[in-house]
CSV table of all heavy atoms in Angstrom, one decimal:
chain,number,residue,atom,x,y,z
L,192,TRP,N,17.7,-6.2,-19.6
L,192,TRP,CA,17.1,-6.3,-18.2
L,192,TRP,C,15.8,-7.2,-18.2
L,192,TRP,O,15.1,-7.2,-17.3
L,192,TRP,CB,16.8,-5.0,-17.6
L,192,TRP,CG,16.0,-4.1,-18.4
L,192,TRP,CD1,14.6,-3.9,-18.4
L,192,TRP,CD2,16.4,-3.2,-19.5
L,192,TRP,NE1,14.1,-3.0,-19.3
L,192,TRP,CE2,15.2,-2.6,-20.0
L,192,TRP,CE3,17.6,-2.9,-20.1
L,192,TRP,CZ2,15.3,-1.7,-21.1
L,192,TRP,CZ3,17.7,-2.0,-21.1
L,192,TRP,CH2,16.5,-1.4,-21.6
L,307,MET,N,14.2,6.5,-5.4
L,307,MET,CA,14.5,7.9,-5.3
L,307,MET,C,13.3,8.6,-4.8
L,307,MET,O,12.2,8.4,-5.3
L,307,MET,CB,14.9,8.4,-6.7
L,307,MET,CG,15.3,9.9,-6.6
L,307,MET,SD,16.7,10.3,-5.5
L,307,MET,CE,18.1,9.4,-6.4
L,348,PRO,N,22.2,11.4,0.0
L,348,PRO,CA,21.7,12.6,-0.7
L,348,PRO,C,21.7,12.3,-2.3
L,348,PRO,O,22.6,11.7,-2.8
L,348,PRO,CB,22.7,13.7,-0.4
L,348,PRO,CG,23.4,13.1,0.8
L,348,PRO,CD,23.4,11.7,0.7
L,349,ALA,N,20.7,12.8,-2.9
L,349,ALA,CA,20.6,12.7,-4.4
L,349,ALA,C,21.7,13.6,-5.1
L,349,ALA,O,21.9,14.7,-4.6
L,349,ALA,CB,19.2,13.0,-4.9
L,350,LYS,N,22.3,13.1,-6.1
L,350,LYS,CA,23.2,13.9,-7.0
L,350,LYS,C,22.5,14.2,-8.3
L,350,LYS,O,22.8,15.2,-8.9
L,350,LYS,CB,24.5,13.1,-7.2
L,350,LYS,CG,25.3,12.9,-6.0
L,350,LYS,CD,26.6,12.1,-6.3
L,350,LYS,CE,27.4,11.9,-5.1
L,350,LYS,NZ,27.9,13.1,-4.5
L,351,ASN,N,21.6,13.3,-8.7
L,351,ASN,CA,20.7,13.5,-9.9
L,351,ASN,C,19.5,12.6,-9.7
L,351,ASN,O,19.3,12.1,-8.6
L,351,ASN,CB,21.5,13.3,-11.2
L,351,ASN,CG,22.3,12.0,-11.1
L,351,ASN,OD1,21.8,10.9,-11.3
L,351,ASN,ND2,23.6,12.1,-10.8
L,352,LEU,N,18.8,12.3,-10.7
L,352,LEU,CA,17.6,11.5,-10.5
L,352,LEU,C,17.9,10.0,-10.3
L,352,LEU,O,17.0,9.3,-9.8
L,352,LEU,CB,16.7,11.7,-11.7
L,352,LEU,CG,15.3,11.0,-11.6
L,352,LEU,CD1,14.5,11.7,-10.4
L,352,LEU,CD2,14.5,11.1,-12.9
L,353,ILE,N,19.1,9.6,-10.7
L,353,ILE,CA,19.4,8.1,-10.6
L,353,ILE,C,20.0,7.7,-9.3
L,353,ILE,O,21.0,8.3,-8.9
L,353,ILE,CB,20.3,7.7,-11.8
L,353,ILE,CG1,19.7,8.3,-13.1
L,353,ILE,CG2,20.4,6.2,-11.9
L,353,ILE,CD1,18.2,7.9,-13.4
L,354,PRO,N,19.5,6.7,-8.6
L,354,PRO,CA,20.1,6.3,-7.4
L,354,PRO,C,21.4,5.5,-7.6
L,354,PRO,O,21.6,5.0,-8.7
L,354,PRO,CB,19.0,5.4,-6.7
L,354,PRO,CG,18.2,4.9,-7.9
L,354,PRO,CD,18.2,6.0,-8.9
L,355,GLN,N,22.2,5.5,-6.6
L,355,GLN,CA,23.5,4.7,-6.7
L,355,GLN,C,23.2,3.2,-6.8
L,355,GLN,O,22.3,2.7,-6.2
L,355,GLN,CB,24.4,5.0,-5.5
L,355,GLN,CG,24.8,6.5,-5.4
L,355,GLN,CD,25.7,6.7,-4.3
L,355,GLN,OE1,26.6,5.9,-3.9
L,355,GLN,NE2,25.6,7.9,-3.6
L,356,GLY,N,24.0,2.6,-7.7
L,356,GLY,CA,23.8,1.1,-7.9
L,356,GLY,C,22.8,0.8,-9.0
L,356,GLY,O,22.6,-0.4,-9.3
L,357,ASP,N,22.2,1.8,-9.7
L,357,ASP,CA,21.2,1.5,-10.6
L,357,ASP,C,21.7,1.1,-12.0
L,357,ASP,O,21.3,0.2,-12.6
L,357,ASP,CB,20.3,2.7,-10.8
L,357,ASP,CG,19.1,2.4,-11.7
L,357,ASP,OD1,18.2,1.7,-11.2
L,357,ASP,OD2,19.1,2.9,-12.8
L,358,GLN,N,22.7,1.8,-12.5
L,358,GLN,CA,23.2,1.6,-13.9
L,358,GLN,C,24.7,2.0,-14.0
L,358,GLN,O,25.1,3.0,-13.4
L,358,GLN,CB,22.4,2.3,-14.9
L,358,GLN,CG,22.7,1.9,-16.4
L,358,GLN,CD,21.7,2.5,-17.4
L,358,GLN,OE1,20.9,3.2,-17.0
L,358,GLN,NE2,21.9,2.1,-18.6
L,359,LYS,N,25.4,1.2,-14.8
L,359,LYS,CA,26.9,1.5,-14.9
L,359,LYS,C,27.2,1.9,-16.4
L,359,LYS,O,26.5,1.4,-17.3
L,359,LYS,CB,27.7,0.3,-14.5
L,359,LYS,CG,27.7,0.0,-13.1
L,359,LYS,CD,28.6,-1.1,-12.7
L,359,LYS,CE,28.5,-1.5,-11.2
L,359,LYS,NZ,28.9,-0.4,-10.3
L,360,ASN,N,28.2,2.7,-16.6
L,360,ASN,CA,28.7,3.1,-17.9
L,360,ASN,C,29.3,1.8,-18.5
L,360,ASN,O,30.2,1.2,-17.9
L,360,ASN,CB,29.8,4.1,-17.7
L,360,ASN,CG,30.3,4.6,-19.1
L,360,ASN,OD1,30.6,3.9,-20.0
L,360,ASN,ND2,30.5,6.0,-19.2
L,361,PRO,N,28.8,1.4,-19.7
L,361,PRO,CA,29.3,0.1,-20.3
L,361,PRO,C,30.8,0.1,-20.5
L,361,PRO,O,31.4,-1.0,-20.5
L,361,PRO,CB,28.5,0.0,-21.6
L,361,PRO,CG,27.3,0.9,-21.4
L,361,PRO,CD,27.8,2.0,-20.5
L,362,GLN,N,31.4,1.2,-20.8
L,362,GLN,CA,32.8,1.3,-21.0
L,362,GLN,C,33.7,1.4,-19.8
L,362,GLN,O,34.7,0.7,-19.6
L,362,GLN,CB,33.2,2.4,-22.0
L,362,GLN,CG,32.7,2.2,-23.4
L,362,GLN,CD,33.1,3.3,-24.4
L,362,GLN,OE1,33.6,4.3,-23.9
L,362,GLN,NE2,32.8,3.2,-25.7
L,363,THR,N,33.3,2.3,-18.9
L,363,THR,CA,34.2,2.6,-17.7
L,363,THR,C,33.7,1.8,-16.5
L,363,THR,O,34.4,1.8,-15.5
L,363,THR,CB,34.1,4.1,-17.4
L,363,THR,OG1,32.8,4.5,-17.0
L,363,THR,CG2,34.5,4.9,-18.6
L,364,HIS,N,32.5,1.3,-16.5
L,364,HIS,CA,31.8,0.6,-15.4
L,364,HIS,C,31.6,1.5,-14.2
L,364,HIS,O,31.4,1.1,-13.1
L,364,HIS,CB,32.7,-0.6,-15.0
L,364,HIS,CG,32.9,-1.6,-16.1
L,364,HIS,ND1,31.9,-2.3,-16.7
L,364,HIS,CD2,34.0,-1.9,-16.8
L,364,HIS,CE1,32.4,-3.1,-17.7
L,364,HIS,NE2,33.7,-2.8,-17.8
L,365,GLN,N,31.7,2.8,-14.4
L,365,GLN,CA,31.4,3.8,-13.4
L,365,GLN,C,29.9,3.9,-13.2
L,365,GLN,O,29.1,3.9,-14.2
L,365,GLN,CB,31.9,5.2,-13.8
L,365,GLN,CG,31.6,6.3,-12.9
L,365,GLN,CD,32.6,6.4,-11.7
L,365,GLN,OE1,33.4,5.5,-11.5
L,365,GLN,NE2,32.4,7.4,-10.9
L,366,ASP,N,29.5,4.0,-12.0
L,366,ASP,CA,28.1,4.1,-11.6
L,366,ASP,C,27.5,5.5,-12.2
L,366,ASP,O,28.2,6.5,-12.1
L,366,ASP,CB,27.9,4.1,-10.1
L,366,ASP,CG,26.4,4.0,-9.7
L,366,ASP,OD1,25.8,5.0,-9.6
L,366,ASP,OD2,26.0,2.9,-9.4
L,367,MET,N,26.3,5.4,-12.8
L,367,MET,CA,25.8,6.7,-13.4
L,367,MET,C,25.6,7.8,-12.4
L,367,MET,O,25.9,9.0,-12.7
L,367,MET,CB,24.5,6.4,-14.2
L,367,MET,CG,23.9,7.6,-14.9
L,367,MET,SD,22.3,7.4,-15.6
L,367,MET,CE,22.7,6.5,-17.1
L,368,ALA,N,25.1,7.4,-11.2
L,368,ALA,CA,24.9,8.5,-10.2
L,368,ALA,C,26.2,9.2,-9.9
L,368,ALA,O,26.2,10.4,-9.7
L,368,ALA,CB,24.3,7.9,-9.0
L,369,GLN,N,27.3,8.5,-9.9
L,369,GLN,CA,28.6,9.1,-9.7
L,369,GLN,C,29.2,9.7,-11.0
L,369,GLN,O,29.9,10.8,-10.9
L,369,GLN,CB,29.6,8.1,-9.2
L,369,GLN,CG,29.2,7.4,-7.9
L,369,GLN,CD,29.1,8.3,-6.7
L,369,GLN,OE1,29.7,9.4,-6.7
L,369,GLN,NE2,28.4,7.9,-5.7
L,370,ASP,N,28.9,9.1,-12.1
L,370,ASP,CA,29.4,9.5,-13.4
L,370,ASP,C,29.0,11.0,-13.7
L,370,ASP,O,29.8,11.8,-14.2
L,370,ASP,CB,28.8,8.6,-14.5
L,370,ASP,CG,29.8,8.4,-15.6
L,370,ASP,OD1,30.9,9.0,-15.6
L,370,ASP,OD2,29.5,7.6,-16.6
L,371,LEU,N,27.8,11.3,-13.4
L,371,LEU,CA,27.3,12.7,-13.7
L,371,LEU,C,27.7,13.7,-12.7
L,371,LEU,O,27.7,14.9,-12.9
L,371,LEU,CB,25.8,12.7,-13.8
L,371,LEU,CG,25.2,12.3,-15.2
L,371,LEU,CD1,25.3,10.8,-15.4
L,371,LEU,CD2,23.7,12.7,-15.2
L,372,GLY,N,28.0,13.3,-11.5
L,372,GLY,CA,28.4,14.2,-10.4
L,372,GLY,C,27.1,14.8,-9.8
L,372,GLY,O,26.0,14.5,-10.1
L,373,ASN,N,27.3,15.8,-8.9
L,373,ASN,CA,26.2,16.4,-8.2
L,373,ASN,C,25.6,17.5,-9.1
L,373,ASN,O,26.1,18.6,-9.3
L,373,ASN,CB,26.7,17.0,-6.9
L,373,ASN,CG,25.5,17.5,-6.1
L,373,ASN,OD1,24.4,17.3,-6.4
L,373,ASN,ND2,25.9,18.2,-5.0
L,374,LEU,N,24.4,17.2,-9.7
L,374,LEU,CA,23.7,18.2,-10.5
L,374,LEU,C,22.6,18.9,-9.7
L,374,LEU,O,21.9,19.7,-10.3
L,374,LEU,CB,23.1,17.4,-11.7
L,374,LEU,CG,24.0,16.6,-12.6
L,374,LEU,CD1,23.3,16.0,-13.7
L,374,LEU,CD2,25.1,17.5,-13.1
L,375,VAL,N,22.5,18.7,-8.4
L,375,VAL,CA,21.5,19.4,-7.6
L,375,VAL,C,22.1,19.9,-6.4
L,375,VAL,O,21.8,19.6,-5.2
L,375,VAL,CB,20.3,18.5,-7.3
L,375,VAL,CG1,19.4,18.3,-8.5
L,375,VAL,CG2,20.8,17.1,-6.8
L,461,LEU,N,17.4,-2.8,-12.8
L,461,LEU,CA,18.5,-1.8,-12.7
L,461,LEU,C,18.7,-1.2,-14.1
L,461,LEU,O,19.6,-1.7,-14.8
L,461,LEU,CB,19.7,-2.5,-12.2
L,461,LEU,CG,19.5,-3.1,-10.7
L,461,LEU,CD1,20.8,-3.8,-10.3
L,461,LEU,CD2,19.2,-2.0,-9.7
L,462,ASP,N,18.1,-0.1,-14.3
L,462,ASP,CA,18.2,0.7,-15.6
L,462,ASP,C,17.6,2.0,-15.4
L,462,ASP,O,16.5,2.2,-14.9
L,462,ASP,CB,17.6,-0.1,-16.7
L,462,ASP,CG,17.9,0.6,-18.1
L,462,ASP,OD1,19.0,0.2,-18.6
L,462,ASP,OD2,17.1,1.4,-18.5
L,463,SER,N,18.4,3.1,-15.7
L,463,SER,CA,18.0,4.4,-15.4
L,463,SER,C,16.7,4.9,-16.2
L,463,SER,O,16.1,5.8,-15.8
L,463,SER,CB,19.1,5.4,-15.7
L,463,SER,OG,19.5,5.4,-17.1
L,464,ALA,N,16.4,4.2,-17.3
L,464,ALA,CA,15.2,4.6,-18.1
L,464,ALA,C,14.0,4.5,-17.3
L,464,ALA,O,13.0,5.3,-17.5
L,464,ALA,CB,15.1,3.7,-19.3
L,465,ASP,N,13.9,3.7,-16.3
L,465,ASP,CA,12.7,3.5,-15.4
L,465,ASP,C,12.5,4.8,-14.6
L,465,ASP,O,11.4,5.3,-14.5
L,465,ASP,CB,12.8,2.3,-14.5
L,465,ASP,CG,11.5,2.0,-13.8
L,465,ASP,OD1,10.5,2.2,-14.4
L,465,ASP,OD2,11.6,1.6,-12.6
L,466,PHE,N,13.6,5.4,-14.1
L,466,PHE,CA,13.4,6.7,-13.4
L,466,PHE,C,13.2,7.9,-14.3
L,466,PHE,O,12.4,8.7,-14.0
L,466,PHE,CB,14.7,6.9,-12.5
L,466,PHE,CG,14.8,6.0,-11.3
L,466,PHE,CD1,15.5,4.8,-11.4
L,466,PHE,CD2,14.1,6.3,-10.2
L,466,PHE,CE1,15.6,4.0,-10.3
L,466,PHE,CE2,14.1,5.4,-9.1
L,466,PHE,CZ,14.9,4.3,-9.1
L,467,LEU,N,13.9,7.9,-15.4
L,467,LEU,CA,13.8,9.0,-16.4
L,467,LEU,C,12.4,9.1,-17.0
L,467,LEU,O,11.9,10.1,-17.3
L,467,LEU,CB,14.8,8.9,-17.4
L,467,LEU,CG,16.3,9.1,-16.9
L,467,LEU,CD1,17.3,8.8,-18.0
L,467,LEU,CD2,16.5,10.6,-16.5
L,468,SER,N,11.7,7.9,-17.1
L,468,SER,CA,10.4,7.9,-17.7
L,468,SER,C,9.4,8.6,-16.8
L,468,SER,O,8.3,8.9,-17.2
L,468,SER,CB,9.9,6.5,-17.9
L,468,SER,OG,9.8,5.7,-16.7
L,486,PHE,N,14.7,17.0,-23.6
L,486,PHE,CA,14.7,15.8,-22.7
L,486,PHE,C,14.0,14.6,-23.4
L,486,PHE,O,14.6,13.5,-23.4
L,486,PHE,CB,13.9,16.1,-21.4
L,486,PHE,CG,13.6,14.9,-20.5
L,486,PHE,CD1,14.7,14.4,-19.7
L,486,PHE,CD2,12.4,14.3,-20.5
L,486,PHE,CE1,14.4,13.3,-18.9
L,486,PHE,CE2,12.1,13.2,-19.7
L,486,PHE,CZ,13.2,12.7,-18.9
L,489,SER,N,16.1,13.0,-26.2
L,489,SER,CA,17.2,12.2,-25.7
L,489,SER,C,16.7,10.8,-25.3
L,489,SER,O,17.3,9.8,-25.5
L,489,SER,CB,17.9,12.8,-24.5
L,489,SER,OG,18.6,14.0,-25.0
L,490,LEU,N,15.5,10.8,-24.6
L,490,LEU,CA,14.9,9.5,-24.3
L,490,LEU,C,14.6,8.7,-25.5
L,490,LEU,O,14.8,7.5,-25.5
L,490,LEU,CB,13.7,9.8,-23.4
L,490,LEU,CG,13.8,9.9,-21.9
L,490,LEU,CD1,12.4,9.9,-21.2
L,490,LEU,CD2,14.7,8.9,-21.3
L,493,ALA,N,17.7,7.2,-26.9
L,493,ALA,CA,18.1,6.1,-26.1
L,493,ALA,C,17.3,4.8,-26.4
L,493,ALA,O,17.8,3.7,-26.4
L,493,ALA,CB,18.0,6.5,-24.6
L,498,GLY,N,23.7,-0.4,-25.9
L,498,GLY,CA,25.2,-0.3,-25.6
L,498,GLY,C,25.5,1.1,-25.1
L,498,GLY,O,24.8,1.8,-24.4
L,499,GLN,N,26.7,1.6,-25.5
L,499,GLN,CA,27.3,2.9,-25.0
L,499,GLN,C,26.4,4.0,-25.6
L,499,GLN,O,26.2,5.0,-24.9
L,499,GLN,CB,28.7,3.0,-25.5
L,499,GLN,CG,29.4,4.3,-24.9
L,499,GLN,CD,29.6,4.1,-23.4
L,499,GLN,OE1,29.9,3.1,-22.9
L,499,GLN,NE2,29.4,5.3,-22.7
L,500,ALA,N,25.9,3.9,-26.8
L,500,ALA,CA,25.1,5.0,-27.4
L,500,ALA,C,23.8,5.2,-26.6
L,500,ALA,O,23.4,6.3,-26.3
L,500,ALA,CB,24.8,4.7,-28.8
L,501,ARG,N,23.2,4.1,-26.1
L,501,ARG,CA,22.0,4.2,-25.3
L,501,ARG,C,22.4,4.9,-24.0
L,501,ARG,O,21.6,5.8,-23.5
L,501,ARG,CB,21.4,2.8,-25.1
L,501,ARG,CG,20.2,2.8,-24.2
L,501,ARG,CD,19.6,1.4,-24.1
L,501,ARG,NE,18.3,1.5,-23.3
L,501,ARG,CZ,18.3,1.4,-22.0
L,501,ARG,NH1,19.4,1.2,-21.3
L,501,ARG,NH2,17.1,1.4,-21.4
L,502,TYR,N,23.4,4.4,-23.4
L,502,TYR,CA,23.8,5.0,-22.1
L,502,TYR,C,24.1,6.5,-22.2
L,502,TYR,O,23.6,7.3,-21.4
L,502,TYR,CB,25.1,4.3,-21.6
L,502,TYR,CG,25.6,4.8,-20.3
L,502,TYR,CD1,25.1,4.4,-19.0
L,502,TYR,CD2,26.6,5.8,-20.2
L,502,TYR,CE1,25.6,4.9,-17.8
L,502,TYR,CE2,27.1,6.3,-19.1
L,502,TYR,CZ,26.6,5.9,-17.9
L,502,TYR,OH,27.1,6.4,-16.7
L,503,ASP,N,24.8,6.9,-23.3
L,503,ASP,CA,25.1,8.3,-23.4
L,503,ASP,C,23.8,9.2,-23.6
L,503,ASP,O,23.8,10.3,-23.1
L,503,ASP,CB,26.0,8.5,-24.7
L,503,ASP,CG,27.4,7.9,-24.4
L,503,ASP,OD1,27.8,7.7,-23.2
L,503,ASP,OD2,28.1,7.7,-25.4
L,504,ASN,N,22.8,8.6,-24.3
L,504,ASN,CA,21.6,9.4,-24.4
L,504,ASN,C,20.8,9.5,-23.1
L,504,ASN,O,20.2,10.5,-22.9
L,504,ASN,CB,20.7,8.7,-25.5
L,504,ASN,CG,21.2,9.2,-26.9
L,504,ASN,OD1,21.3,10.3,-27.2
L,504,ASN,ND2,21.5,8.2,-27.8
L,505,LEU,N,20.9,8.4,-22.3
L,505,LEU,CA,20.2,8.4,-21.0
L,505,LEU,C,20.9,9.5,-20.1
L,505,LEU,O,20.3,10.2,-19.4
L,505,LEU,CB,20.3,7.1,-20.4
L,505,LEU,CG,19.4,6.0,-21.0
L,505,LEU,CD1,19.6,4.6,-20.4
L,505,LEU,CD2,17.9,6.3,-20.9
L,506,VAL,N,22.2,9.5,-20.2
L,506,VAL,CA,23.0,10.5,-19.4
L,506,VAL,C,22.6,11.9,-19.9
L,506,VAL,O,22.4,12.8,-19.0
L,506,VAL,CB,24.5,10.3,-19.6
L,506,VAL,CG1,25.3,11.6,-19.1
L,506,VAL,CG2,24.9,9.1,-18.8
L,507,LYS,N,22.5,12.1,-21.2
L,507,LYS,CA,22.1,13.4,-21.7
L,507,LYS,C,20.7,13.8,-21.2
L,507,LYS,O,20.4,15.0,-20.9
L,507,LYS,CB,22.1,13.4,-23.2
L,507,LYS,CG,21.9,14.7,-23.9
L,507,LYS,CD,22.1,14.6,-25.4
L,507,LYS,CE,21.8,16.0,-26.1
L,507,LYS,NZ,22.0,15.9,-27.6
L,508,ALA,N,19.8,12.8,-21.2
L,508,ALA,CA,18.4,13.1,-20.7
L,508,ALA,C,18.4,13.5,-19.2
L,508,ALA,O,17.8,14.4,-18.8
L,508,ALA,CB,17.5,11.9,-20.9
L,509,ASN,N,19.3,12.8,-18.5
L,509,ASN,CA,19.4,13.1,-17.0
L,509,ASN,C,19.9,14.5,-16.8
L,509,ASN,O,19.4,15.2,-16.0
L,509,ASN,CB,20.3,12.0,-16.4
L,509,ASN,CG,20.2,12.0,-14.9
L,509,ASN,OD1,19.6,12.8,-14.2
L,509,ASN,ND2,20.8,10.9,-14.3
L,510,ARG,N,20.9,14.9,-17.6
L,510,ARG,CA,21.5,16.2,-17.4
L,510,ARG,C,20.5,17.3,-17.8
L,510,ARG,O,20.4,18.3,-17.0
L,510,ARG,CB,22.7,16.4,-18.4
L,510,ARG,CG,24.0,15.6,-17.9
L,510,ARG,CD,25.2,16.0,-18.8
L,510,ARG,NE,26.3,15.2,-18.4
L,510,ARG,CZ,27.1,15.5,-17.4
L,510,ARG,NH1,26.9,16.5,-16.6
L,510,ARG,NH2,28.2,14.7,-17.2
L,511,ARG,N,19.7,17.1,-18.8
L,511,ARG,CA,18.7,18.1,-19.2
L,511,ARG,C,17.6,18.2,-18.1
L,511,ARG,O,17.2,19.3,-17.8
L,511,ARG,CB,18.1,17.7,-20.5
L,511,ARG,CG,16.9,18.5,-21.0
L,511,ARG,CD,17.3,20.0,-21.2
L,511,ARG,NE,16.2,20.8,-21.5
L,511,ARG,CZ,16.2,22.1,-21.7
L,511,ARG,NH1,17.4,22.8,-21.5
L,511,ARG,NH2,15.1,22.8,-22.0
L,512,LEU,N,17.2,17.1,-17.6
L,512,LEU,CA,16.2,17.1,-16.6
L,512,LEU,C,16.6,17.8,-15.4
L,512,LEU,O,15.8,18.6,-14.8
L,512,LEU,CB,15.8,15.6,-16.2
L,512,LEU,CG,14.7,15.4,-15.2
L,512,LEU,CD1,13.3,15.9,-15.8
L,512,LEU,CD2,14.5,14.0,-14.8
L,513,MET,N,17.9,17.6,-15.0
L,513,MET,CA,18.4,18.3,-13.8
L,513,MET,C,18.7,19.8,-14.1
L,513,MET,O,18.6,20.7,-13.2
L,513,MET,CB,19.7,17.7,-13.3
L,513,MET,CG,19.5,16.2,-12.8
L,513,MET,SD,18.3,16.1,-11.4
L,513,MET,CE,16.7,15.8,-12.2
L,523,GLN,N,18.1,9.1,-1.9
L,523,GLN,CA,18.0,7.6,-2.1
L,523,GLN,C,17.7,7.0,-0.7
L,523,GLN,O,18.6,7.0,0.1
L,523,GLN,CB,19.2,7.0,-2.7
L,523,GLN,CG,19.0,5.5,-3.0
L,523,GLN,CD,20.3,4.9,-3.6
L,523,GLN,OE1,21.2,5.6,-4.0
L,523,GLN,NE2,20.3,3.6,-3.8
L,541,LEU,N,18.6,-4.8,-3.4
L,541,LEU,CA,18.4,-3.4,-3.8
L,541,LEU,C,17.0,-3.2,-4.5
L,541,LEU,O,16.3,-2.2,-4.3
L,541,LEU,CB,19.5,-2.9,-4.8
L,541,LEU,CG,19.5,-1.5,-5.2
L,541,LEU,CD1,19.9,-0.6,-3.9
L,541,LEU,CD2,20.5,-1.2,-6.3
Side-chain angles (χ1 to χ4, degrees):
W192 54 96
M307 182 59 67
K350 294 180 180 295
N351 47 80
L352 188 64
I353 310 306
Q355 295 182 39
D357 186 73
Q358 188 172 5
K359 294 183 183 297
N360 186 316
Q362 289 183 354
T363 67
H364 305 291
Q365 176 84 354
D366 191 277
M367 183 185 284
Q369 303 293 342
D370 213 359
L371 274 73
N373 188 6
L374 303 182
V375 284
L461 298 178
D462 188 86
S463 62
D465 190 37
F466 287 97
L467 293 170
S468 66
F486 170 78
S489 294
L490 273 190
Q499 189 65 39
R501 179 176 183 273
Y502 178 86
D503 290 342
N504 280 305
L505 290 172
V506 165
K507 187 176 180 180
N509 197 348
R510 288 188 184 280
R511 174 61 182 176
L512 185 63
M513 295 300 93
Q523 179 179 356
L541 190 67

